[in-house]
Amino acid sequence: MIASHRIETCQSGDVTLSGRCFGQPGKLPLLFVHGLSYFSYDWVDIGTRLAPDREGCAIDMRGFGDSSPSAANDYTLPTMAKDLGAMLDHLGWQKAIILGHSMGGRTAAYFAAQNPERVAGLVLVDYSPDSAPAGTARVANIVANVPDTFANVDEAMSYFGADPHSPQNAGRRDRFTAYLREVPGGYAVKRASFFAHQFRHLLG
């Protein structure tokens, strides 16, 4: 079961952002920013371990998880970086340590460059300003090929390599349930269709 946390939401431009927050006021807070194939849920357990003496918040970036998609399809780097500032403002955090993974690392690095006075520390996981072509192609193929819908949670788990009937994957069902939303015909990953369409276009 995921660690105890609360949901915080705030407005940023044309979207409503959602974050999973935990911990108690203390030392400088931590903001966690997920990658392209992840969302806030994935950071709660590790976040509570990294922030035993402070507050932490794992944000769902616009179009991901429980944050709303952009009606204008605005997923540019400057806009997504502004979303981090909007969540910091909402939480009342003038300064924080920001941990970004992959796509989230790119966003966090840009935010830090534009707002150095608000970033006490920057942790980049699986991110480099110089993207390796092979890595970019791998990510493009993964995102582009995810089915638009799954019949049920079991089918989604199987697609992502987690046997839904295996005892060791019992704890992962909650994660996949949180990662999916009901749509006509079944369930879809909580990621704006914009990203899959962009990668499919890129791959031709």
Side-chain angles (χ1 to χ4, degrees), residues 37-169:
S37 295
Y38 300 87
F39 71 127
S40 63
Y41 187 101
D42 297 305
W43 283 103
V44 174
D45 283 343
I46 189 172
T48 56
R49 291 176 173 84
L50 292 173
D53 53 358
R54 66 194 73 207
E55 291 180 281
C57 186
I59 187 175
D60 277 325
M61 296 303 291
R62 57 174 53 213
F64 291 82
D66 295 324
S67 292
S68 64
S70 167
N73 279 335
D74 184 0
Y75 298 101
T76 60
L77 181 57
T79 295
M80 295 182 83
K82 286 180 181 177
D83 291 342
L84 301 189
M87 182 59 76
L88 292 179
D89 289 343
H90 171 73
L91 296 171
W93 297 353
Q94 183 55 40
K95 182 176 284 192
I97 299 167
I98 303 182
L99 188 152
H101 170 235
S102 192
M103 176 194 74
R106 177 172 174 257
T107 305
Y110 186 91
F111 178 80
Q114 297 297 310
N115 305 274
E117 75 285 355
R118 303 205 66 177
V119 182
L122 182 64
V123 181
L124 303 177
V125 180
D126 195 22
Y127 168 74
S128 167
D130 298 318
S131 298
T136 300
R138 179 179 59 82
V139 171
N141 275 288
I142 290 173
V143 176
N145 289 312
V146 171
D148 291 331
T149 59
F150 296 97
N152 48 50
V153 175
D154 283 5
E155 184 175 283
M157 290 181 70
S158 295
Y159 178 85
F160 289 107
D163 180 356
H165 307 296
S166 172
Q168 61 261 38
N169 285 328

